[in-house]
Amino acid sequence: MTDTLARPDLLLLSMILAPWVGAVLAGLLPRYARNGAAALSWVVALVGLVSAILLYPNITDGPVRHEIRWMPSLGIDFVLRLDGLSWLFSVLVLGIGALVVLYARYYMSPKDPVPRFFAYLLAFMGAMQGVVMAGNLVQLAIFWELTSLFSFLLIGYWYNNQLARDGARMALTVTAAGGLCLLIGVLLLGHIAGSYDLDVVLGAGDQIKRSPLYLPMLVFVLLGAFTKSAQFPFHFWLPRAMAAPTPVSAYLHSATMVKAGIFLMMRLWPVLAGTEEWYAIVGTAGILTLLIGAYAAIFQHDLKGLLAYSTISHLGLITLLLGLGTPLGFVAALFHTLNHATFKASLFMAAGIIDHETGTRDLRRLSGLRKAMPITATLAIVAAAAMAGVPLLNGFLSKEMFLAEAVSNPRDYDRNLLLPVLATLASTFAVLYSLRFIHQTFFGPPAQDLPSTPHEPPHWMRFPIELLVLICVVVGIIPGLTIGPFLATGVQSVLGEATPYYSLAVWHGFNLPLLMSLVALAGGTVLYVLFRRPINTNPHGGPRLFRPFDGVRIFDGVMNGLTAASERGASVFGTNRLQPQLRNIILVMLLAAVLAALPFWSGLGANGFTLTPPDPGFVVLWLLGIGCALIAAWQAKYHRLAAVVMLGGAGLASCISFVWLSAPDLATTQLLVEVVTTVLLLLGLRWLPKRQDAIHIPPSEQRRAKARRVSDLLVAIAFGAFTAAIAFRVMTMPAAPDGIGRFFLEHAYEQGGGRNVVNVLLVDFRALDTLGEISVLGLVGLTVFALLLRFRPGADSLSAPEQQRVQRASDERHETRQPGDTLQDTMLVPRVVMQWLFPVIVLFAVHLFLRGHDEPGGGFAAGIAMSIAFILQYMASGTRWVEDRLRIRPLKWVALGLGIATLTGMGSWIFGYPFLTSWFRYAELPVLGRVPLPSAILFDIGVFGLVVGSTVLVLIALAHQSLRKPRDRAPAHPPAPPLEEVV
Amino acid sequence: MTGWSAHLAVMPVALPMLAAAFLLLFNEDRRRLKAIVTIATVAALVVVSALLLQSVSAGSAVPAWVYVPGNWPTPFAITLVVDRLSAMMLVLSSILSLGTLLFSLARWAWAGPRFLAFFLLLVAGVNGALLTGDLFNLFVFFEVMLAASYGLLLHGSGEKRVRMGLAYVAVNLTASMLFLIGVSLVYGATGTLNMADLARRLSDLPPENQTLFAVASAVLGTAFLVKASMWPLGFWLPRTYAAASAPAAAVFAILSKVGVYVVLRLSLLLFGTDAGAFAGFGADWLFVGGILTVLFGTAGAMAARNLPYAAGCCVMISSGTVLAALGFGTDAALGGALFYMAGSILAGGALFLLAEILEREAPEAALAADARVFADEYEDPFGSTTVEENGPVIPAAIALASAGFLICGLLLAGIPPFAGFIGKLTIFLGALPREGSLSGAAWTLIAVLTLSSFGVLMTLLRFGVAYLWTPGDGTKLPVVRIVEFSGIATLLLACILLTLWSEKGLAYADGAVSWLRDPGAYVRAVMEHQPWHGDASPGNAPQGDTP
């Protein structure tokens, strides 16, 4: 050969990048640019092919590598590696790709969005190149999945067709699952070999075969290979993939993609093959696939179906050869891979032409086409003869090698008779279906009822077939001069020094394999003559024997089973109901706490308990509080009003406790909060559905309902006991001497400028917490407001409350009274008091605010107090009266409050201090005298504004509910202003 | 650090709060103003978080820095800590917010009152929770985040949302209650709330405090794992997210990850190898829980009847994956899990948005149940003509949606070539021991993650074929506006960039893990922080004259 190239890396790159670049460009073409896309694709394939041919001299003596660093930290790089084997596969991918592109230009309808088709096709080509040129196992697995993906997109190209959708889904399901297995397999392989680099792995054969992980690794790798190469029992997706346009079937599903599994087994043959496990798994899968595929192919009525099963069978043959584990088997496998690609691609394209010209692929309808399309017929007959293994064609040569391997019985097993017999049987089947294909399609009287009248296709559509058939013939006659050296390079690259002597001669003399071939040829012909009629009239379009083993049915069953199991699993191990979820949370927490405490159990009682003697007053207070809480829980289901009131009682108990324990600040705030929340809750109660006195439980459910209540009670008791216990333990423990609390007590006045530590904590030490908490308060107000904007009370609470109805009825009975007068009268005294309280409470709020930094009070308490002033007005005089006189605009309060607080925080940036750093100074003010003026007071104003705004927002949203009138009733009053405008 | 850049750490919290306050000043009809302010804020957050990431990434001298609002000395002050983990999460939160926000501006932002304010405060809450180094402050920001999420979940109204909203509020209030109990227990047991201080004190706690602290950790852990939606605490997630409006669900994709983040943060900080009796606390349970979460999420996805539910299940799966990797314990697996999490957050968010576009074709739900009852009722989200059509409609909607769906699907399923695959691959590599055979845990991790890849692929394949390939009754294509697509494109672009920069991303994640494995460095960074002496009065304490 000629001398090697100086820069092989550029050629290597162009072999893989050209298809990807082409795919992107094709995707950008206008929707119906058929010629442009085809020309682009053709150029791309040719560029790749020429690069490959130019590189050939470089790879005859060993692999060419080009590394691109990708993820060196994981030991995974992007390595392009071309040796004899990958060169052969590359030429297959690029060469047949070029021919298929040419063919597809004529096959695809101009009405299809063809650029998309070519984009997928080129992307597939790139992915396939990535697989065969991968120098890194992980890289191989990545491109492997990409071939599955683009195969899916290509099968589903005509996605309006149900068969295309189903076929595509099934193909992706099977091959992608295989790809996931392959990933595990190659990770294990790399783990055993210590590297994911192919050259390192190929050099670690002994280590790999000795490893305890060999078998799991092998199984995972083979799952990948078998699913991809349609080996039994994963073969069923391939016939379904025939819903793809025929160029795709010719390219992906006969010549290239389905050979990826074969390629993988060849690539890893030196390190995986030769063991008992390999022989058992690969050999068995191969022979089963060979026989089942060949047998099923006989019965197909669909032209492409026949070819698909024939492909499965030939893939099985190659797998079997690899499974034998002998070097000669390997040679035969590689040779047959190339031969099969040439004759099967041409047959698929011929089938596509027949489909295109006649409008049908049904073998029962086709007949006598040799008259209408003599050239295509001749080409297809030659290709089919190669498929059958007729001498002087390439299929014959590799089949002879296969039969020779079957006879040689290298392992000396007692099944020595079985393998040759089965091999002959499979060859007989191949002859039978090839004969049926030829005879049924091209011979006999011309068919009359075809959807369209057949004639020869355009010349360039036929050209790819002509070329491939020419190769079949030339290789079949002078193999040594044509394919010989390339095959030798390929074999050498894998087997190295173990390369056996083999001869590619056409004539090896009279021997057993030749006899077997002749038996197969004769037997196949005889069987066809005998069984032609029953096969053609078989209504099932498939062998009856296989019904129970129909892969499609099993697949559907498995998928349905998976879905059903998932549904079951999701409902058994999960729940959509709220109560069990809450129970889960509590139970998990209790369990986790117990488990966590177990190792530390002994420490629980250490250092004893610091108990203080009980004060009778305090005990009584707490008994009252506990009583209120229990009644609240008891009544929550049937009597909400009582529950809310009792809850208020419990809250009051804690307020008094704060006072008792000298925390006036907490007590003030808690008291105000209790008041406001209780009032708002009471206002909201009006809109809840009516009380249900009893819930009817059917007798059959009563036991369960009772059991559930008991268990709920137990959960509640357990949780309460747990909380009480840990609270007790914390309170009776000696205080941590170095806790951070002391710091605040010591520094509040000196550096925070306030005597009220709680307030200084809130607005200074932990102002960020306060900023967050007021945001929460604002958000809650906004949520209530948003929710009530579209609130729809239940039908039963839509009508006016009973009290209102009675009063109105009474007003209407008396002629002198207006509706609403009774209410006015009843509310007279409270109203006057409440209206006059307004300025008092406002002043109180200001007072609370100003003293906050030193005494109990502060922005929060002041805000709550201020909102009480507003609440009283709404309660006393009604929404309309108040809003005619006072527009509170609570949303603006919220906005200003949050804004002021945040801006105060940012203000310290100007002085070069972090967010929310405070600064204070005392000032002499007229009247008020010396007052502290910390910057935190600004922050506190923000807090005040937000608290007022948010509370009043909730109040107004609730208040407006009573103004709303159902649409279908005429409003008694002028309609209330929409809530959105009031806030 | 000087000048404005010194305050970068607090901006992810302060900026959205200020912007939210500003938005609340105006009525809802000022749409343009509100949209511009919100976009500007969130875009600023993307820049800020990118700068923060830059400041702690490999090239920089400091792996973490501390910012103390209020300028009080640590550990008494609330600290904000920017380190590799929090910076990474901030970037994700900002990008997710930006994409979601753009999407929402076309229609959803105006489908109910004050959406944008809720949105910004949610972002502020998430960012605060990611930044804070104080346990109680964490509680506060959790509450901000949750309160905003209540509002966002109810956004768009409708019975389904209100119903699910109620359950969501109930579950989260329960978890918050546990959180609060846990925080007070921690304070009772250790006398501190600062995480760094806590880690420092843990090794020499008296025995009875140890018991209490163990209980506190269990209680807190339960609360966080409810948020992270670990099995059997996370059943609320898929249905809630499926009920939420698309942009709300998309931005929720990060909420559960905040739970995961806190578990990561605290368990690595407090229960590292130096933690004495607490070393490795709960790791086995996290592993088991993570694995079960992945399995449950996969089953849920396979059984899903609608795409948003399936997307919610994917969110669960990704939480489970990270928890399992954390429990598994090797650095490499955890680094891979962080990388995987980044991709899955972005893709999960994008999937919710895509699902909304794809379901637009579906016939509108019967409107009868949605008829107005009150005369002054807020308008039906899209029932009226007041919702203007924002921006031109994308012509090749289906093609773009298909491409987006493909990327999301491959990423979430962890199928090559996108970031999800690289993350899972790294987890697998991390599960393989350096030498010898695999442990049972390693086999389980690899098998379960592979199974879930397959399950997610099957699920998304089913929905993809049903939505994108199955011809409908008419030729009606979904109407997608450019601004909506730009939102989805933002998220997908981020996914693709993550894939392209996977080596850098993985290196960053590994750096984050090795930083997290060294709690001592975190403790030192916080405890040795000195209060600033401002520019205005150099050398003086910030406090003025004393009385």
Side-chain angles (χ1 to χ4, degrees), chain A residues 583 702-718:
Chain A
R583 195 163 46 208
Q702 266 170 358
R703 268 179 81 91
R704 255 183 43 163
K706 193 160 187 176
R708 220 194 85 181
R709 284 182 162 207
V710 170
S711 76
D712 283 358
L713 184 66
L714 290 178
V715 171
I717 290 174

PDB file of all heavy atoms in Angstrom, chain A residues 583 702-718:
ATOM      1  N   ARG A 583     -50.345  11.289  59.320  1.00  0.00           N
ATOM      2  CA  ARG A 583     -50.020  10.222  60.269  1.00  0.00           C
ATOM      3  C   ARG A 583     -48.613   9.708  59.998  1.00  0.00           C
ATOM      4  O   ARG A 583     -47.823   9.503  60.919  1.00  0.00           O
ATOM      5  CB  ARG A 583     -51.044   9.098  60.126  1.00  0.00           C
ATOM      6  CG  ARG A 583     -51.033   8.131  61.282  1.00  0.00           C
ATOM      7  CD  ARG A 583     -52.287   7.314  61.308  1.00  0.00           C
ATOM      8  NE  ARG A 583     -52.622   6.793  59.990  1.00  0.00           N
ATOM      9  CZ  ARG A 583     -53.858   6.517  59.583  1.00  0.00           C
ATOM     10  NH1 ARG A 583     -54.867   6.748  60.384  1.00  0.00           N
ATOM     11  NH2 ARG A 583     -54.086   6.042  58.397  1.00  0.00           N
ATOM     12  N   GLN A 702     -68.393   0.487  60.322  1.00  0.00           N
ATOM     13  CA  GLN A 702     -68.302   1.064  61.660  1.00  0.00           C
ATOM     14  C   GLN A 702     -67.094   0.571  62.441  1.00  0.00           C
ATOM     15  O   GLN A 702     -66.439   1.341  63.137  1.00  0.00           O
ATOM     16  CB  GLN A 702     -69.595   0.786  62.425  1.00  0.00           C
ATOM     17  CG  GLN A 702     -70.538   1.965  62.276  1.00  0.00           C
ATOM     18  CD  GLN A 702     -71.917   1.688  62.793  1.00  0.00           C
ATOM     19  OE1 GLN A 702     -72.211   0.579  63.251  1.00  0.00           O
ATOM     20  NE2 GLN A 702     -72.789   2.666  62.698  1.00  0.00           N
ATOM     21  N   ARG A 703     -66.817  -0.712  62.275  1.00  0.00           N
ATOM     22  CA  ARG A 703     -65.659  -1.260  62.984  1.00  0.00           C
ATOM     23  C   ARG A 703     -64.388  -0.548  62.566  1.00  0.00           C
ATOM     24  O   ARG A 703     -63.574  -0.123  63.392  1.00  0.00           O
ATOM     25  CB  ARG A 703     -65.517  -2.748  62.673  1.00  0.00           C
ATOM     26  CG  ARG A 703     -66.200  -3.660  63.635  1.00  0.00           C
ATOM     27  CD  ARG A 703     -65.988  -5.087  63.187  1.00  0.00           C
ATOM     28  NE  ARG A 703     -64.674  -5.580  63.612  1.00  0.00           N
ATOM     29  CZ  ARG A 703     -64.487  -6.203  64.774  1.00  0.00           C
ATOM     30  NH1 ARG A 703     -65.510  -6.386  65.595  1.00  0.00           N
ATOM     31  NH2 ARG A 703     -63.312  -6.639  65.115  1.00  0.00           N
ATOM     32  N   ARG A 704     -64.250  -0.412  61.229  1.00  0.00           N
ATOM     33  CA  ARG A 704     -63.035   0.213  60.717  1.00  0.00           C
ATOM     34  C   ARG A 704     -62.931   1.664  61.158  1.00  0.00           C
ATOM     35  O   ARG A 704     -61.847   2.140  61.516  1.00  0.00           O
ATOM     36  CB  ARG A 704     -63.011   0.141  59.192  1.00  0.00           C
ATOM     37  CG  ARG A 704     -62.047  -0.901  58.687  1.00  0.00           C
ATOM     38  CD  ARG A 704     -62.003  -0.886  57.201  1.00  0.00           C
ATOM     39  NE  ARG A 704     -61.966   0.482  56.686  1.00  0.00           N
ATOM     40  CZ  ARG A 704     -61.608   0.782  55.451  1.00  0.00           C
ATOM     41  NH1 ARG A 704     -61.305  -0.188  54.627  1.00  0.00           N
ATOM     42  NH2 ARG A 704     -61.603   2.025  55.034  1.00  0.00           N
ATOM     43  N   ALA A 705     -64.066   2.354  61.096  1.00  0.00           N
ATOM     44  CA  ALA A 705     -64.056   3.761  61.487  1.00  0.00           C
ATOM     45  C   ALA A 705     -63.624   3.895  62.937  1.00  0.00           C
ATOM     46  O   ALA A 705     -62.828   4.766  63.306  1.00  0.00           O
ATOM     47  CB  ALA A 705     -65.440   4.363  61.280  1.00  0.00           C
ATOM     48  N   LYS A 706     -64.140   2.982  63.754  1.00  0.00           N
ATOM     49  CA  LYS A 706     -63.805   3.043  65.174  1.00  0.00           C
ATOM     50  C   LYS A 706     -62.316   2.754  65.371  1.00  0.00           C
ATOM     51  O   LYS A 706     -61.623   3.462  66.112  1.00  0.00           O
ATOM     52  CB  LYS A 706     -64.650   2.007  65.932  1.00  0.00           C
ATOM     53  CG  LYS A 706     -64.603   2.201  67.420  1.00  0.00           C
ATOM     54  CD  LYS A 706     -65.774   1.512  68.091  1.00  0.00           C
ATOM     55  CE  LYS A 706     -65.784   1.881  69.566  1.00  0.00           C
ATOM     56  NZ  LYS A 706     -66.927   1.337  70.266  1.00  0.00           N
ATOM     57  N   ALA A 707     -61.847   1.717  64.653  1.00  0.00           N
ATOM     58  CA  ALA A 707     -60.426   1.366  64.779  1.00  0.00           C
ATOM     59  C   ALA A 707     -59.556   2.541  64.368  1.00  0.00           C
ATOM     60  O   ALA A 707     -58.543   2.841  65.013  1.00  0.00           O
ATOM     61  CB  ALA A 707     -60.123   0.148  63.905  1.00  0.00           C
ATOM     62  N   ARG A 708     -59.987   3.228  63.331  1.00  0.00           N
ATOM     63  CA  ARG A 708     -59.180   4.341  62.878  1.00  0.00           C
ATOM     64  C   ARG A 708     -59.163   5.466  63.900  1.00  0.00           C
ATOM     65  O   ARG A 708     -58.127   6.083  64.153  1.00  0.00           O
ATOM     66  CB  ARG A 708     -59.714   4.867  61.544  1.00  0.00           C
ATOM     67  CG  ARG A 708     -58.586   5.229  60.607  1.00  0.00           C
ATOM     68  CD  ARG A 708     -59.073   6.053  59.462  1.00  0.00           C
ATOM     69  NE  ARG A 708     -59.109   7.454  59.825  1.00  0.00           N
ATOM     70  CZ  ARG A 708     -59.520   8.410  59.019  1.00  0.00           C
ATOM     71  NH1 ARG A 708     -59.954   8.094  57.823  1.00  0.00           N
ATOM     72  NH2 ARG A 708     -59.515   9.657  59.399  1.00  0.00           N
ATOM     73  N   ARG A 709     -60.324   5.692  64.491  1.00  0.00           N
ATOM     74  CA  ARG A 709     -60.358   6.749  65.504  1.00  0.00           C
ATOM     75  C   ARG A 709     -59.453   6.423  66.670  1.00  0.00           C
ATOM     76  O   ARG A 709     -58.726   7.286  67.175  1.00  0.00           O
ATOM     77  CB  ARG A 709     -61.779   6.929  66.011  1.00  0.00           C
ATOM     78  CG  ARG A 709     -62.637   7.673  65.032  1.00  0.00           C
ATOM     79  CD  ARG A 709     -63.989   7.865  65.612  1.00  0.00           C
ATOM     80  NE  ARG A 709     -64.695   8.914  64.902  1.00  0.00           N
ATOM     81  CZ  ARG A 709     -65.638   9.643  65.450  1.00  0.00           C
ATOM     82  NH1 ARG A 709     -65.972   9.448  66.709  1.00  0.00           N
ATOM     83  NH2 ARG A 709     -66.237  10.564  64.760  1.00  0.00           N
ATOM     84  N   VAL A 710     -59.503   5.149  67.071  1.00  0.00           N
ATOM     85  CA  VAL A 710     -58.663   4.758  68.196  1.00  0.00           C
ATOM     86  C   VAL A 710     -57.202   4.928  67.826  1.00  0.00           C
ATOM     87  O   VAL A 710     -56.403   5.467  68.607  1.00  0.00           O
ATOM     88  CB  VAL A 710     -58.970   3.294  68.597  1.00  0.00           C
ATOM     89  CG1 VAL A 710     -57.941   2.804  69.604  1.00  0.00           C
ATOM     90  CG2 VAL A 710     -60.372   3.201  69.158  1.00  0.00           C
ATOM     91  N   SER A 711     -56.861   4.497  66.609  1.00  0.00           N
ATOM     92  CA  SER A 711     -55.451   4.613  66.243  1.00  0.00           C
ATOM     93  C   SER A 711     -55.050   6.085  66.136  1.00  0.00           C
ATOM     94  O   SER A 711     -53.949   6.459  66.537  1.00  0.00           O
ATOM     95  CB  SER A 711     -55.162   3.873  64.936  1.00  0.00           C
ATOM     96  OG  SER A 711     -55.637   4.611  63.841  1.00  0.00           O
ATOM     97  N   ASP A 712     -55.944   6.917  65.606  1.00  0.00           N
ATOM     98  CA  ASP A 712     -55.635   8.346  65.554  1.00  0.00           C
ATOM     99  C   ASP A 712     -55.412   8.914  66.946  1.00  0.00           C
ATOM    100  O   ASP A 712     -54.488   9.701  67.178  1.00  0.00           O
ATOM    101  CB  ASP A 712     -56.772   9.109  64.868  1.00  0.00           C
ATOM    102  CG  ASP A 712     -56.731   8.933  63.365  1.00  0.00           C
ATOM    103  OD1 ASP A 712     -55.794   8.262  62.891  1.00  0.00           O
ATOM    104  OD2 ASP A 712     -57.650   9.425  62.684  1.00  0.00           O
ATOM    105  N   LEU A 713     -56.262   8.468  67.870  1.00  0.00           N
ATOM    106  CA  LEU A 713     -56.133   8.943  69.247  1.00  0.00           C
ATOM    107  C   LEU A 713     -54.776   8.537  69.804  1.00  0.00           C
ATOM    108  O   LEU A 713     -54.079   9.335  70.450  1.00  0.00           O
ATOM    109  CB  LEU A 713     -57.268   8.373  70.098  1.00  0.00           C
ATOM    110  CG  LEU A 713     -57.305   8.876  71.531  1.00  0.00           C
ATOM    111  CD1 LEU A 713     -57.629  10.351  71.573  1.00  0.00           C
ATOM    112  CD2 LEU A 713     -58.298   8.093  72.358  1.00  0.00           C
ATOM    113  N   LEU A 714     -54.391   7.289  69.508  1.00  0.00           N
ATOM    114  CA  LEU A 714     -53.104   6.815  70.021  1.00  0.00           C
ATOM    115  C   LEU A 714     -51.955   7.630  69.433  1.00  0.00           C
ATOM    116  O   LEU A 714     -51.013   7.997  70.139  1.00  0.00           O
ATOM    117  CB  LEU A 714     -52.930   5.329  69.687  1.00  0.00           C
ATOM    118  CG  LEU A 714     -53.848   4.393  70.473  1.00  0.00           C
ATOM    119  CD1 LEU A 714     -53.633   2.953  70.048  1.00  0.00           C
ATOM    120  CD2 LEU A 714     -53.588   4.537  71.975  1.00  0.00           C
ATOM    121  N   VAL A 715     -52.037   7.903  68.134  1.00  0.00           N
ATOM    122  CA  VAL A 715     -50.985   8.708  67.508  1.00  0.00           C
ATOM    123  C   VAL A 715     -50.907  10.077  68.168  1.00  0.00           C
ATOM    124  O   VAL A 715     -49.825  10.572  68.509  1.00  0.00           O
ATOM    125  CB  VAL A 715     -51.252   8.867  65.994  1.00  0.00           C
ATOM    126  CG1 VAL A 715     -50.285   9.877  65.382  1.00  0.00           C
ATOM    127  CG2 VAL A 715     -51.096   7.536  65.285  1.00  0.00           C
ATOM    128  N   ALA A 716     -52.073  10.669  68.378  1.00  0.00           N
ATOM    129  CA  ALA A 716     -52.097  12.002  68.989  1.00  0.00           C
ATOM    130  C   ALA A 716     -51.499  11.953  70.382  1.00  0.00           C
ATOM    131  O   ALA A 716     -50.697  12.818  70.763  1.00  0.00           O
ATOM    132  CB  ALA A 716     -53.526  12.521  69.043  1.00  0.00           C
ATOM    133  N   ILE A 717     -51.880  10.924  71.144  1.00  0.00           N
ATOM    134  CA  ILE A 717     -51.351  10.819  72.508  1.00  0.00           C
ATOM    135  C   ILE A 717     -49.847  10.617  72.473  1.00  0.00           C
ATOM    136  O   ILE A 717     -49.098  11.249  73.231  1.00  0.00           O
ATOM    137  CB  ILE A 717     -52.049   9.668  73.264  1.00  0.00           C
ATOM    138  CG1 ILE A 717     -53.500  10.054  73.554  1.00  0.00           C
ATOM    139  CG2 ILE A 717     -51.309   9.342  74.550  1.00  0.00           C
ATOM    140  CD1 ILE A 717     -54.314   8.946  74.164  1.00  0.00           C
ATOM    141  N   ALA A 718     -49.395   9.759  71.567  1.00  0.00           N
ATOM    142  CA  ALA A 718     -47.960   9.493  71.494  1.00  0.00           C
ATOM    143  C   ALA A 718     -47.204  10.773  71.172  1.00  0.00           C
ATOM    144  O   ALA A 718     -46.176  11.083  71.789  1.00  0.00           O
ATOM    145  CB  ALA A 718     -47.682   8.433  70.438  1.00  0.00           C
TER     146      ALA A 718
END
